[in-house]
Amino acid sequence: MLSVLAVVVGVLVGMVGVGGVLLPPGLVALGDMTASEATATSTWAFVFTGVVGTIAYAWRGVVPWDMLARLAMGVVPAAFAGALVNAILPGPVVLLGLAALTLFVGVHQLRPRAVRDGRAELGTTALVVIGALVGFGSALTGTGGPVLLVPILLAVGVAPLKAVAVSQAVQLPVVASGSVGYLQTGLVDVGLGTALGGLAALGVVVGAAVATRIHADGLRRIVAVACIAAGVFLLVRVTL
């Protein structure tokens, strides 16, 4: 089941930028891991989706490299800090954070989307701050980067394809910095994370290939239901 989940997560990440939020809850539920182990291992797994996603979108010439560079200025130190904070937090606190993030993403995907012109231009300060928020939150929860960055960029008026493309590339500084922090704590299951990351990377290739060819509204609703179900599961697990 974890193998299937990894492929599905990869497809969703490659196509609409969300999906990574489902892997940590899956590792808790199906891999019998603690919340900290799940977030650490999923962060390592997203190294592989980051590499493949960046290549896939760069090959199509749609990655905004200038935006990525400014986001990375905030992402790198914040992701490292997020990993270290996760390692010292009690398990229930991490689970609650995962539940809150998962439910937020699910509800966000169900909300009606206002029509934006997609021409928003963000300054360096704004992008560094966004990068810091995304880096810290993604490393803390083991969700890779796109799941936080895409909703934020869409909310401020960045074009959807541009938002998804830069979110693929931003995974690399997020998960690289986060993984360095997690490896120091000994929480990463490198073997499992590598295997799941490879499967998810295959899914990213498929997702990226169809990202510009299908209407994503139906898929977003499926993602929303899955995220809400995962969030409810985590809340129930905390209370047991």
Side-chain angles (χ1 to χ4, degrees), residues 2 7 26 41 62 116 123 128 139 149 172 206 226:
L2 277 175
V7 174
T41 300
V62 293
R116 306 294 293 268
V128 172
L149 184 58
L172 289 176
V206 176

Side-chain angles (χ1 to χ4, degrees), residues 39 64 93 136 187 202:
T39 53
V93 173
F136 185 83
L187 292 170
L202 293 176

Side-chain angles (χ1 to χ4, degrees), residues 208-237:
V210 300
T212 59
R213 301 176 186 176
I214 68 169
H215 200 277
D217 284 348
L219 182 59
R220 284 195 181 100
R221 285 191 286 271
I222 295 173
V223 172
V225 172
C227 286
I228 291 171
V232 171
F233 164 80
L234 289 173
L235 287 175
V236 171
R237 188 180 181 94

